[in-house]
Amino acid sequence: MLDKNMELVFLTVVISLGCVALLLFLQWKNLQGPPCIRGWIPWIGAGFEFGKAPLEFIEKARIKYGPIFTVFAMGIRMTFVTEEEGINVFLKSKEVNFELAVQNPVYRTASIPKNIFLALHEKLYITMKGKLGTTNLRQFTGQLTEELHEQLDHLGTHGTMDLNNLVRHLLYPVSVNMLFKKGLFPTNKRKTMEFYQNFEAYDEGFEHGSQMPEFLLRNWSKSKSWLLAFFEKNIPDIKAYKSEKDNSMTLMQALLDIIEIETNEKSPNYGLLLLWASLSNAVPVAFWTLGFVLSHPSIHRTIMEGISSVFGTAGKDKIKVSEDDLKKLPLIKWCILETIRLRAPGAITRKVLKPVKILNYTVPSGDLLMLSPFWLHRNPKYFPEPELFKPERWKKANLEKHAFLDSFMAFGSGKYQCPGRWLALLEIEICIILFFYYYDCSLLDPLPKQSSLHLLGVQQPEGQCQIEYKRRK
Ligand code: HEM
């Protein structure tokens, strides 16, 4: 009998201890951060491996470590979320913050100190959101058409050119003249070349420039200084500019008003930021869209039929594009959105202010929470047959009500979603319509691969792609 009692007590003690151990284990696991890839070099961590091909690195890490993992590189902890629970925290939690996540890259790339950036950001953002919002967009349609006509005239009657270069020659002057001041983009050949060279070098080095001290990037630093000097010289003219048509201010003029009232400092630096934001994604997206359409003959044909049915025989007249015309050509917008889905930015980021729980892990404060639109858009759960260029999937989106497809995150999300998204779509739509209306064209090369180097912005082509174009009679 005594033996039986002893046995019972022993069993109860073992079970209780087991429960306590399990509880402690679970609690310990809860306090644990996600699996961390840190390499073996102090501070640099996994920096070299990650920097070589960040997008591939992220996907390999997801397969190996699961839906949430941390990468330690160049002194920074980046915690990537890839599934629902983590994405919800990224999008909705009050404990994660946009401004504090981007303040450091803004300082490195445009030399705007933290205190000025944080003091101005909200006011500048509200102004951009208003000026570039859907209700204000009509104002840009005429200006875009006019500017694009001017740039298309410079293409001449026929030629062969790298498609990316062609798009740059159209969209750099159009964006600069529209957002800053009409006529600001240089027209003199030497100055134009200088502008192209310096902006391209700045854009190419932007990713490294956002992470490394400037003295390590001599050429990039030179281009940055050239662009800052360009704005320094032109700010007085931008301020004094008055539109001949109406009294409307350009976007940069509206931003300058705020900057001057609040600090009166760093105007050229904000000019540089706006320049980069307006060109760095829109230009490659226009390139890829033209490339995808031209390499899908049936889509190209349908688009041409649409253009002729709205504007008459292609190439005949000098056409104006209106909002109503655009509504009759939905396939063009679907092609642009499908392109953006496939070439989306590598990652968007938020700073963790207080520890947040995701799955069984606790992500500590100070981490950068990272979400990859590029990989999210390749999840077949959200986009069936994700690798295929299928513009018709956008039929389901309520674009009339300005809603994209669920899980489309190329313009970011939440409070500080890209304020230029509607302008970008409009600009690329009109560019495609006018180019196809006036020019008969075909690709001479296969579409290049995308380089998987871009975490901050959309993906760039890895090589050249020649296009042959001929003005229609
Ligand atoms: C297809 C083209 C574009 C893409 C894919 C794109 C994408 C993005 C993304 C992902 C963000 C970060 C949002 C977030 O973290 O939630 C952003 C921010 C921003 N974008 Fe765009 N963008 C494009 C075109 C433009 C254009 C044409 C402009 C200007 C006219 C512009 C101006 C900005 C600005 C100023 C911000 C920073 C907003 C802030 O400081 O809060 N973007 N964009």
Side-chain angles (χ1 to χ4, degrees):
M1 184 69 188
L2 200 68
D3 265 6
K4 265 238 143 61
N5 274 348
M6 281 296 286
E7 233 173 65
L8 212 68
V9 169
F10 182 71
L11 209 69
T12 319
V13 169
V14 168
I15 292 173
S16 309
L17 281 176
C19 287
V20 170
L22 187 71
L23 252 165
L24 283 174
F25 174 74
L26 287 176
Q27 220 170 21
W28 172 79
K29 225 184 155 218
N30 272 350
L31 290 175
Q32 287 288 295
C36 182
I37 308 157
R38 53 172 66 251
W40 53 271
I41 315 171
W43 190 77
I44 288 175
F48 289 137
E49 280 305 299
F50 184 70
K52 264 191 260 166
L55 288 178
E56 281 166 29
F57 189 101
I58 296 169
E59 184 58 358
K60 280 189 191 148
R62 187 192 64 79
I63 294 166
K64 186 162 175 196
Y65 297 100
I68 172 166
F69 53 88
T70 302
V71 181
F72 178 75
M74 315 312 267
I76 297 170
R77 280 176 53 95
M78 292 172 282
T79 294
F80 286 86
V81 288
T82 61
E83 295 279 344
E84 250 104 47
E85 196 178 324
I87 295 173
N88 276 337
V89 170
F90 186 99
L91 299 179
K92 295 183 188 146
S93 170
K94 291 206 169 66
E95 314 301 352
V96 305
N97 180 285
F98 170 83
E99 288 162 326
L100 291 170
V102 299
Q103 162 268 314
N104 235 328
V106 165
Y107 175 67
R108 289 218 148 118
T109 52
S111 307
I112 296 173
K114 183 176 177 178
N115 59 334
I116 295 186
F117 175 73
L118 294 180
L120 292 189
H121 178 252
E122 175 109 37
K123 289 194 180 97
L124 295 177
Y125 183 81
I126 291 170
T127 302
M128 289 190 286
K129 195 175 156 192
K131 291 226 32 125
L132 305 176
T134 49
T135 48
N136 234 358
L137 221 54
R138 193 175 292 265
Q139 189 191 318
F140 290 105
T141 316
Q143 218 180 336
L144 275 166
T145 312
E146 202 179 293
E147 288 284 351
L148 271 160
H149 268 128
E150 245 175 74
Q151 302 313 321
L152 282 168
D153 283 345
H154 295 157
L155 280 184
T157 53
H158 64 281
T160 304
M161 198 173 180
D162 170 44
L163 177 58
N164 210 4
N165 250 344
L166 184 142
V167 173
R168 284 182 184 131
H169 279 81
L170 295 178
L171 293 189
Y172 281 15
V174 169
S175 305
V176 169
N177 291 341
M178 190 175 61
L179 296 175
F180 291 84
K181 164 192 170 283
K182 191 161 177 57
L184 180 66
F185 197 84
T187 44
N188 159 310
K189 204 169 174 189
R190 186 181 57 82
K191 290 205 169 136
T192 314
M193 285 308 292
E194 259 187 298
F195 187 97
Y196 282 118
Q197 276 162 6
N198 283 297
F199 183 76
E200 274 159 40
Y202 178 75
D203 187 27
E204 231 177 87
F206 194 89
E207 194 111 359
H208 285 140
S210 70
Q211 294 155 9
M212 287 193 214
E214 200 168 327
F215 68 84
L216 295 175
L217 305 161
R218 274 193 55 206
N219 283 338
W220 180 78
S221 174
K222 269 194 205 157
S223 294
K224 177 181 163 191
S225 303
W226 188 94
L227 290 163
L228 283 172
F230 172 83
F231 282 113
E232 182 92 53
K233 182 167 165 269
N234 284 296
I235 291 284
D237 282 353
I238 296 175
K239 269 198 293 194
Y241 170 71
K242 287 216 162 47
S243 153
E244 278 167 19
K245 290 216 173 104
D246 49 36
N247 268 336
S248 64
M249 283 175 140
T250 65
L251 178 63
M252 189 62 198
Q253 284 182 317
L255 299 181
L256 283 173
D257 270 4
I258 297 172
I259 297 165
E260 296 204 338
I261 293 170
E262 298 289 326
T263 67
N264 212 6
E265 268 185 82
K266 304 288 170 193
S267 301
N269 309 57
Y270 276 103
L272 176 57
L273 265 193
L274 178 62
L275 180 76
W276 181 80
S278 61
L279 296 178
S280 65
N281 290 316
V283 170
V285 167
F287 161 84
W288 287 115
T289 313
L290 283 164
F292 278 133
V293 171
L294 288 171
S295 43
H296 290 77
S298 70
I299 296 179
H300 186 202
R301 211 174 310 116
T302 315
I303 286 182
M304 285 315 300
E305 283 162 13
I307 291 178
S308 297
S309 78
V310 175
F311 300 102
T313 313
K316 278 201 120 183
D317 300 305
K318 187 160 182 184
I319 54 168
K320 280 192 175 162
V321 181
S322 71
E323 307 262 298
D324 283 341
D325 298 331
L326 295 176
K327 280 189 194 139
K328 292 178 201 148
L329 298 166
L331 179 58
I332 298 181
K333 195 181 244 171
W334 298 346
C335 286
I336 301 169
L337 286 164
E338 182 65 350
T339 301
I340 301 178
R341 181 187 72 79
L342 282 168
R343 294 293 179 265
I348 51 178
T349 175
R350 305 290 184 261
K351 184 122 177 178
V352 179
L353 302 180
K354 281 193 192 158
V356 283
K357 273 202 66 189
I358 300 174
L359 298 169
N360 282 328
Y361 301 111
T362 302
V363 183
S365 56
D367 269 24
L368 288 178
L369 208 57
M370 312 289 286
L371 186 157
S372 173
F374 180 91
W375 287 116
L376 187 70
H377 294 175
R378 276 170 173 70
N379 186 336
K381 210 161 59 177
Y382 308 123
F383 297 96
E385 299 184 288
E387 290 293 345
L388 294 187
F389 180 73
K390 282 175 71 176
E392 66 277 12
R393 71 173 91 230
W394 286 90
K395 240 182 224 172
K396 282 202 201 124
N398 196 350
L399 295 171
E400 291 270 310
K401 292 255 156 71
H402 308 294
F404 299 125
L405 288 174
D406 291 345
S407 304
F408 176 77
M409 218 71 80
F411 293 113
S413 175
K415 191 173 171 193
Y416 294 123
Q417 200 176 158
C418 170
R421 60 197 184 282
W422 304 114
L423 179 70
L425 294 178
L426 182 69
E427 188 176 8
I428 301 168
E429 265 178 293
I430 300 182
C431 177
I432 290 174
I433 292 174
L434 294 185
F435 185 58
F436 282 166
Y437 178 84
Y438 290 114
Y439 288 94
D440 185 12
C441 52
S442 54
L443 296 183
L444 300 179
D445 295 323
L447 210 53
K449 281 193 187 144
Q450 57 185 327
S451 90
S452 48
L453 279 173
H454 284 263
L455 209 54
L456 278 181
V458 300
Q459 307 312 309
Q460 307 277 343
E462 219 169 48
Q464 293 220 339
C465 179
Q466 296 292 318
I467 181 173
E468 188 175 35
Y469 58 89
K470 197 166 166 218
R471 188 111 181 171
R472 297 178 197 276
K473 299 235 165 79

